[in-house]
């Protein structure tokens, strides 16, 4: 067989060039997926540089979880038109995966932000500060009676979670009306909410107005938040302030980060005004 071996790669050389071990090439040869360009009289196998691109498409499709059997079918029947269709299909799948991974990355970044804030949250300290306008997605008005029914409460929570699709959203918190705070009904929630930087999510967008807010951090289980609310209202009275709008609860450290409910941290932010 007259072949100029300078133009070919041995199995070891081709494997090294492709970043795989020789066993992979042996397997591809055994199943007819990628066979050597030729085998000499001594049984040595040689690959041509033209086969590098074929290996590359095999590698890409394998990384995209396409079974080797399907890859072989494509290679056996390949045409330019089939390559175009396959490429478009895989690009669509890749874009979906990129979006999913981007959303997961965003949630982990939010987790870091919330957890750090929770770790550094002061205990039994209250502050009043000017806060800028913020945008959020808000649920429909909640049935306050469902707050007492865990199953109904979780159904409403799940429905809201399923309704929010954008990736640039924060974790879900709850809103309590001014009337319920003043009346001491601290577990009668009015809305679920999640913060967003996207102002164009209409008609779902709501606005937390720029203004003066009191901020407290509750250390402990959700069932004991009333203790922090009572102290907060006492603090506001001493400062000659009163509740002037919704209260926003954000759960900085919860069951995901702590095994003991006593270690939970809830940020409480309430709109206030001077008496």
């Amino acid at each position: 067989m007259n072949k100029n071996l300078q133009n070919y790669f041995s199995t070891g050389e081709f494997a090294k060039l492709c970043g795989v071990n020789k066993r992979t090439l042996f397997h591809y040869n055994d199943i007819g997926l990628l066979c050597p360009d030729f085998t000499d009289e001594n049984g040595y196998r040689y690959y041509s540089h033209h086969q590098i691109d074929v290996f590359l498409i095999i590698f890409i499709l394998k990384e995209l979880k396409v079974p080797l059997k399907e890859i072989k079918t494509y290679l056996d029947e390949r045409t330019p038109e089939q390559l175009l269709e396959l490429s478009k299909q895989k690009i669509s799948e890749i874009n979906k995966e990129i979006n999913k991974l981007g959303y997961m990355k965003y949630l982990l970044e939010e987790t870091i932000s919330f957890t750090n804030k929770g770790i550094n949250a002061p205990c039994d300290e209250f502050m009043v500060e000017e806060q800028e306008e913020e945008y959020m997605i808000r649920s429909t008005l909640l049935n306050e009676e469902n707050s007492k029914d865990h199953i109904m409460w979780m159904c409403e929570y799940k429905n809201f979670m399923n309704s929010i699709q954008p990736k640039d959203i924060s974790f879900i918190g709850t809103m309590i009306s001014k009337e319920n705070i003043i009346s001491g009904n601290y577990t009668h929630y009015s809305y679920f909410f999640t913060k967003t930087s996207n102002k164009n999510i209409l008609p779902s967008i709501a606005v937390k107005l720029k203004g003066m807010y009191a901020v407290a951090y509750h250390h402990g289980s959700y069932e004991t938040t009333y203790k922090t609310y009572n102290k907060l209202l006492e603090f506001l009275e001493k400062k000659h302030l009163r509740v002037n709008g919704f209260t926003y609860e954000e759960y900085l450290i919860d069951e995901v980060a702590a095994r003991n409910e006593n270690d939970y941290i809830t940020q409480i932010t309430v709109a206030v005004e001077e008496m």
Side-chain angles (χ1 to χ4, degrees):
M1 183 178 293
N2 295 321
K3 290 280 187 179
N4 185 351
L5 295 184
Q6 291 183 343
N7 297 326
Y8 291 87
F9 304 98
S10 68
T11 301
E13 291 169 337
F14 194 75
K16 186 176 181 179
L17 189 64
C18 295
V20 296
N21 58 53
K22 292 195 292 185
R23 290 191 301 275
T24 298
L25 296 181
F26 292 153
H27 178 60
Y28 288 176
N29 180 41
D30 291 341
I31 64 176
L33 181 63
L34 180 65
C35 299
D37 193 17
F38 79 96
T39 303
D40 69 13
E41 57 273 13
N42 297 317
Y44 292 110
R45 310 174 190 195
Y46 292 91
Y47 295 82
S48 74
H49 62 88
H50 300 292
Q51 293 180 287
I52 294 175
D53 286 341
V54 177
F55 179 88
L56 180 60
I57 194 65
I58 293 172
F59 172 80
I60 291 172
L61 294 176
K62 187 169 177 286
E63 287 292 299
L64 294 174
K65 311 302 181 186
V66 179
L68 293 181
K69 184 177 180 180
E70 292 183 19
I71 298 175
K72 183 178 185 307
T73 298
Y74 162 71
L75 291 175
D76 289 345
E77 302 173 357
R78 62 188 182 269
T79 65
E81 291 75 20
Q82 285 180 316
L83 179 60
L84 284 174
E85 182 62 30
L86 179 65
S87 299
K88 291 175 183 177
Q89 176 190 340
K90 294 306 171 185
I91 287 173
S92 177
E93 293 175 7
I94 289 170
N95 284 335
K96 289 178 182 177
E97 188 68 16
I98 288 172
N99 290 337
K100 183 175 76 173
L101 291 173
Y103 179 63
M104 293 168 64
K105 176 175 179 286
Y106 178 83
L107 288 182
L108 291 174
E109 290 171 344
E110 283 289 279
T111 298
I112 292 171
S113 175
F114 271 55
T115 305
N116 277 330
K117 197 171 186 180
I119 289 172
N120 296 298
C123 184
D124 290 331
E125 290 184 24
F126 307 97
M127 62 194 79
V128 178
E129 61 188 24
E130 186 81 13
Q131 294 190 357
E132 295 299 318
E133 180 179 86
E134 291 184 291
Y135 294 91
M136 62 183 65
I137 304 171
R138 197 171 68 182
S139 70
T140 56
L141 185 64
L142 301 176
N143 184 339
E144 292 180 357
E145 287 300 311
N146 286 348
S147 299
K148 305 173 186 177
D149 186 321
H150 183 70
I151 294 177
M152 293 301 297
W153 173 255
M154 289 309 300
C155 285
E156 289 192 308
Y157 177 89
K158 185 69 174 178
N159 288 338
F160 178 63
M161 188 170 65
N162 290 338
S163 72
I164 52 178
Q165 297 300 322
K167 72 174 185 178
D168 56 343
I169 56 174
S170 187
F171 292 130
I172 295 173
T174 49
M175 297 169 60
I176 308 173
S177 69
K178 169 184 174 181
E179 294 74 22
N180 278 327
I181 291 297
I182 294 173
S183 301
N185 298 319
Y186 307 132
T187 59
H188 287 195
Y189 300 104
S190 299
Y191 299 98
F192 294 117
F193 78 93
T194 179
K195 294 179 181 177
T196 179
S197 59
N198 189 345
K199 304 176 185 179
N200 301 315
I201 312 173
L202 299 173
S204 303
I205 201 74
V207 179
K208 174 174 167 281
L209 297 174
K210 177 179 179 179
M212 190 161 51
Y213 291 85
V215 180
Y217 297 93
H218 174 69
H219 292 242
S221 70
Y222 306 134
E223 288 75 16
T224 60
T225 54
Y226 70 89
K227 296 179 181 180
T228 300
Y229 275 110
N230 289 338
K231 292 178 182 178
L232 177 59
L233 290 177
E234 291 175 6
F235 167 80
L236 293 178
E237 187 174 359
K238 290 178 183 178
K239 293 290 186 180
H240 304 289
L241 298 170
R242 63 187 174 195
V243 177
N244 185 40
F246 282 104
T247 294
Y248 302 85
E249 286 189 3
E250 296 176 84
Y251 309 105
L252 306 181
I253 293 182
D254 57 15
E255 56 274 7
V256 175
R259 289 181 293 178
N260 192 322
E261 290 184 345
N262 294 327
D263 295 325
Y264 292 179
I265 310 291
T266 302
Q267 178 179 301
I268 298 170
T269 305
V270 55
V272 297
E273 64 179 356
E274 294 181 355
M275 290 184 180

